[in-house]
Each structure stands twice: as structure tokens, then as C-alpha cells.
Amino acid sequence: MAWSDIVLNNNGVVNQSLWALHLRAHGNGVSWLLYSNFSIFLVLFYAWIPFVCLPIFAVLENMDRQLTEAAGDLGASRFKAFWTVTFPLSLPGVIAAFVFVLIPTTGEFIAPLYVGGPNNQLFGNEIQSFFGDSPDWNYGAVLAIALIAVVLVLMLVFGRFLNTDLRTQRSDR
């Protein structure tokens, strides 16, 4: 039994907690927690969040802390300093994290099948289903090529933004 079954099942931890807090009647659990789009996105979020945090952490770790101190000395509030200094400097890490996680999640088919059930399909499930017992190679190949094209376009767009951000940062030095 996987953690998603233990946590999201009708008798799982979430529903048990709701019953214990008297937020729902006992035996009347939240049924959409498992085998839904919510559960698919929750599991994918849980699986890929470390790979999102790593590039953002690397960018923020190398950021010059004196810039935020200078913003504070010039009268900026913490929110204003974050929004005008930290956020723009962290964009390369955010873009890298997006690209880093985009490619494997587009082909994900095990998590949606396992926690989403057979009726919830993502792009990876759809491609995988055409290579089953009676394979429809043509349609599966068209879907795979369309997915590759979408990923390449997104990579080019975000790579262009990333290069622009890096050039701007270098010219500021």
C-alpha cells in the first residue's frame, strides 16, 4: 500500500482527521481525494518538488545579500525588497526548475494511472495506451512527436528568457 492510499483513501489519514475534528460526519469521507485530478497533481507535486527547489536554492544561495540590505537601507520594505531585488534575480532558477521538471512530468504515466485511476489520463498515459495489446503505432507516434514539439517550443521560449536574464545580470556588473 502506497503513501497515497494511506493518506488519501476513504479511510485514510485525511478523512480520519476530518472525522476526529468533527468537520465531517463519521463515515462520510471526502471521496474526491483519491482517483481524481487532485490526487494526480498532489502526487506529481510531491515527487518533483525537490527537483524544483534545487535550482532555485542554488540561485538564491549565490545571490549577493548586500543587495537586499541596500534596498532596505534605501527605504524599501521587506516585500518591496523581495519583489524588486530577490525575485528578478531568482528568475533564472525558477525557469531552470520549470524546464528541469517539465520534461519528465510530460511523459509521466505511472502516477496518473495509479492514483488517478483508469479514467484520468495525462499525455503520457495516452501515448502509453497506444502501445498496449493491439498497438496503434501511427497515432502513438503522432502524440509523441506532438509532445516533443511542445517541449521543444517551451524550452526555446524559456531558454531565450534565461539567456536574456543572464545577459542583463552580466551587463549590470
Side-chain angles (χ1 to χ4, degrees):
M1 189 176 256
W3 73 266
S4 60
D5 286 338
I6 294 169
V7 174
L8 302 175
N9 201 346
N10 285 337
N11 291 322
V13 173
V14 172
N15 282 322
Q16 293 284 339
S17 300
L18 291 174
W19 297 334
L21 296 171
H22 300 289
L23 296 174
R24 292 196 58 102
H26 188 70
N28 184 16
V30 180
S31 61
W32 55 264
L33 289 176
L34 194 59
Y35 305 119
S36 65
N37 287 335
F38 170 77
S39 62
I40 293 171
F41 294 122
L42 183 68
V43 167
L44 290 178
F45 176 80
Y46 179 78
W48 293 108
I49 195 67
F51 299 100
V52 170
C53 293
L54 188 63
I56 296 171
F57 173 76
V59 168
L60 291 176
E61 183 70 22
N62 292 324
M63 188 182 81
D64 188 6
R65 305 230 188 282
Q66 292 178 344
L67 295 172
T68 54
E69 290 176 17
D73 290 344
L74 292 172
S77 64
R78 287 184 175 192
F79 178 75
K80 181 85 170 170
F82 169 79
W83 194 249
T84 58
V85 177
T86 307
F87 182 71
L89 291 176
S90 68
L91 280 179
V94 171
I95 293 169
F98 177 77
V99 171
F100 192 53
V101 172
L102 170 74
I103 295 168
T105 54
T106 54
E108 189 78 51
F109 65 92
I110 295 296
L113 184 63
Y114 187 66
V115 297
N119 295 331
N120 288 334
Q121 296 274 332
L122 289 181
F123 216 87
N125 294 78
E126 197 65 30
I127 293 172
Q128 188 267 342
S129 70
F130 287 105
F131 298 109
D133 296 333
S134 58
D136 186 356
W137 292 94
N138 295 332
Y139 192 65
V142 167
L143 286 177
I145 289 172
L147 183 62
I148 290 171
V150 167
V151 168
L152 284 176
V153 166
L154 287 173
M155 296 227 355
L156 288 172
V157 167
F158 284 110
R160 184 132 176 100
F161 283 124
L162 187 60
N163 286 337
T164 304
D165 288 342
L166 291 176
R167 276 188 243 128
T168 305
Q169 287 178 2
R170 287 186 194 133
S171 66
D172 291 342
R173 290 182 187 170

